[in-house]
Amino acid sequence: MSSKPDASRPRAADTKKVHIADTQMTRQNWYKHVNWLNVTFIIGIPLAGCIQAFWVPLQLKTAIWAVIYYFFTGLGITAGYHRLWAHCSYSATLPLRIWLALVGGGAVEGSIRWWARDHRAHHRYTDTDKDPYSVRKGLLYSHLGWMVMKQNPKRIGRTDITDLNEDPVVVWQHRNYIKVVLTMGLIVPMLVSGLGWGDWYGGFVYAGILRIFFVQQATFCVNSLAHWLGDQPFDDRNSPRDHIITALVTLGEGYHNFHHEFPSDYRNAIEWHQYDPTKWTIWTCKQLGLAYDLKQFRSNEIEKGRVQQLQKKIDQKRAKLDWGTPLDQLPVMEWDDYVEQAKNGRGLISIAGVVHDVTDFIKDHPGGKAMIKSGLGKDATAMFNGGVYYHSNGAHNLLSTMRVGVIRGGGEVEIWKRAQKENSEYVRDETGQRIIRAGQQVTKIPEPIPTADAA
């Protein structure tokens, strides 16, 4: 006999709760959307440190130590969490991995496993809804909002972290993360200041709390500022950008456009003058035998990306300019018709088989009205290309905007045949227009023709 379902037990569908992040925020439930633990660590504690700083004097030795420890913990994130574990851009020996895991934990930005997992999702799903800190949701959101407001973890893109789960240093740090944070984030900086020169409270406030605040804000700038400020020399399909200010703030992570294009490169800055202390730290560790297998993209591939982006920008500018009616869209004119129209007062001139209407330009011709009028109704190819004057590149470009037709027939005129080959022979930009480089205009003849009717 089948038993009746117990009415007191919830149905299976009832057990599926909607995540708070997937509900609308209202005045009544806003506090449920806030991640209060992160608010405490990221905003509350630093605020408390700022208040304490009003009556805790800052000693010079403590200030110097706070700056030194800032760089230690900052490099723990950039050289450790980011370039070593998130991107595997180089390999490190066990002592270096342990050191980076410890000082990285002192930055109080989550465990290596959590940090690298989200960062890999960020690269895989940049600027999409699956990006955990997409700048498309707002600059403030990508800087801070994604941490202080609750996110549905199921909405974040999936990534493979098998290698992290197999790294004993990563596993150990993840399991003992709170201990690492308290020890490396607060106790160690306080002990150094206290045992070193008796400034226990100053070490706790300045080298501990406030140093954590500045390291965190610098790292957060990689998620926000590096996707908002600067240039895009390698690709502009997504938001990452390069800028010296971001690089200065983030220990070299500011060349973010390069990094998103070549994420497995241990460098962010590839030019000698660009600021990237993280790169030089990794390189120094290699010289000391602590790091090895430093990965670099081939310079040939890097330059190809740079050239492609430059060409794309040029094409975008080209599209806004008037290059004249394309040759294959011009009407075909018989020679007799061209001559007849010129005789009837229309300012037509034929150069390299292309007919141009220069009526409105005759009065502005730098060589004078008489010179240009002498070529009307004739084949002025030689005259234009050195028979009378070897016209400039600018003159050829200007002439192209006056096209009105193409001459049919005649052994001296091959322009129509050439126009038919454009689809296969010539490079075109993104809009389909033929790319006309200096000296390649159709009216440009390489060698001056010795005779000309109008000469």
Side-chain angles (χ1 to χ4, degrees), residues 313-324:
K313 291 180 179 179
I314 291 173
D315 288 346
Q316 291 171 348
K317 289 185 177 181
R318 281 179 49 83
K320 299 176 182 179
L321 302 176
D322 178 11
W323 296 89

Side-chain angles (χ1 to χ4, degrees), residues 379-395:
D379 182 353
T381 304
M383 174 185 178
F384 194 76
N385 284 278
V388 173
Y389 180 71
Y390 198 66
H391 284 75
S392 67
N393 186 67

Side-chain angles (χ1 to χ4, degrees), residues 1-65:
M1 296 178 61
S2 60
S3 59
K4 296 182 178 181
D6 188 352
S8 64
R9 297 180 63 184
R11 296 179 180 178
D14 295 336
T15 61
K16 296 181 180 180
K17 294 183 179 180
V18 178
H19 194 278
I20 186 65
D22 296 330
T23 64
Q24 185 177 3
M25 184 185 300
T26 64
R27 293 182 179 180
Q28 289 74 32
N29 71 353
W30 68 267
Y31 64 92
K32 295 182 180 180
H33 286 261
V34 179
N35 188 325
W36 291 106
L37 179 62
N38 284 351
V39 168
T40 301
F41 280 109
I42 298 173
I43 299 177
I45 294 178
L47 182 61
C50 290
I51 295 173
Q52 293 178 68
F54 279 103
W55 64 78
V56 177
L58 175 60
Q59 297 184 23
L60 178 60
K61 292 181 180 179
T62 302
I64 294 174
W65 163 237

Side-chain angles (χ1 to χ4, degrees), residues 181-198:
V181 165
L182 293 176
T183 302
M184 300 302 296
L186 298 172
I187 296 175
V188 167
M190 181 177 64
L191 283 175
V192 172
S193 298
L195 296 176
W197 48 90

Side-chain angles (χ1 to χ4, degrees), residues 403-416:
R403 296 171 180 166
V404 293
V406 176
I407 296 294
R408 184 201 305 275
E412 76 284 3
V413 179
E414 296 294 328
I415 187 58
W416 185 247

Side-chain angles (χ1 to χ4, degrees), residues 184-410:
M184 300 302 296
L186 298 172
I187 296 175
V188 167
M190 181 177 64
L191 283 175
V192 172
S193 298
L195 296 176
W197 48 90
D199 189 15
W200 295 89
Y201 206 4
F204 178 77
V205 172
Y206 294 105
I209 295 177
L210 294 183
R211 187 265 321 159
I212 291 173
F213 170 73
F214 285 112
V215 169
Q216 288 179 342
Q217 295 305 311
T219 304
F220 300 162
C221 283
V222 180
N223 303 334
S224 57
L225 204 61
H227 287 260
W228 179 72
L229 177 67
D231 301 321
Q232 296 177 299
F234 298 98
D235 192 10
D236 62 359
R237 291 176 298 173
N238 293 318
S239 61
R241 299 171 181 272
D242 290 359
H243 202 282
I244 180 60
I245 291 179
T246 317
L248 291 171
V249 170
T250 61
L251 301 183
E253 301 288 335
Y255 301 101
H256 214 50
N257 192 254
F258 172 85
H259 172 63
H260 268 256
E261 282 297 294
F262 312 102
S264 62
D265 198 309
Y266 86 98
R267 308 162 299 172
N268 262 208
I270 57 175
E271 305 295 343
W272 67 269
H273 55 82
Q274 293 176 324
Y275 179 76
D276 188 0
T278 303
K279 171 185 68 177
W280 293 115
T281 298
I282 297 170
W283 181 86
T284 302
C285 288
K286 178 186 177 182
Q287 309 312 308
L288 297 174
L290 297 172
Y292 57 96
D293 191 23
L294 277 59
K295 297 177 182 176
Q296 295 185 38
F297 262 81
R298 293 188 301 169
S299 59
N300 182 69
E301 308 313 308
I302 293 174
E303 288 307 308
K304 284 198 299 189
R306 197 195 305 271
V307 169
Q308 287 171 332
Q309 182 63 6
L310 286 172
Q311 185 62 60
K312 185 176 182 179
K313 291 180 179 179
I314 291 173
D315 288 346
Q316 291 171 348
K317 289 185 177 181
R318 281 179 49 83
K320 299 176 182 179
L321 302 176
D322 178 11
W323 296 89
T325 305
L327 294 174
D328 53 2
Q329 296 179 21
L330 291 172
V332 180
M333 298 178 66
E334 300 295 339
W335 177 262
D336 292 341
D337 184 34
Y338 155 67
V339 173
E340 184 67 23
Q341 290 190 43
K343 288 181 178 179
N344 291 333
R346 190 178 181 190
L348 299 183
I349 191 167
S350 174
I351 300 174
V354 181
V355 179
H356 307 83
D357 189 339
V358 297
T359 304
D360 296 331
F361 181 69
I362 292 176
K363 64 181 185 301
D364 298 321
H365 184 232
K369 298 179 181 179
M371 190 64 68
I372 193 170
K373 283 183 176 180
S374 66
L376 298 180
K378 301 176 182 179
D379 182 353
T381 304
M383 174 185 178
F384 194 76
N385 284 278
V388 173
Y389 180 71
Y390 198 66
H391 284 75
S392 67
N393 186 67
H396 284 274
N397 283 336
L398 178 61
L399 190 65
S400 69
T401 64
M402 305 176 191
R403 296 171 180 166
V404 293
V406 176
I407 296 294
R408 184 201 305 275

Side-chain angles (χ1 to χ4, degrees), residues 161-204:
I161 57 171
T162 303
D163 59 316
L164 301 178
N165 293 331
E166 294 175 351
D167 188 328
V169 175
V170 175
V171 174
W172 173 84
Q173 195 231 37
H174 186 73
R175 290 176 177 173
N176 299 275
Y177 179 67
I178 299 299
K179 297 177 183 177
V180 173
V181 165
L182 293 176
T183 302
M184 300 302 296
L186 298 172
I187 296 175
V188 167
M190 181 177 64
L191 283 175
V192 172
S193 298
L195 296 176
W197 48 90
D199 189 15
W200 295 89
Y201 206 4
F204 178 77

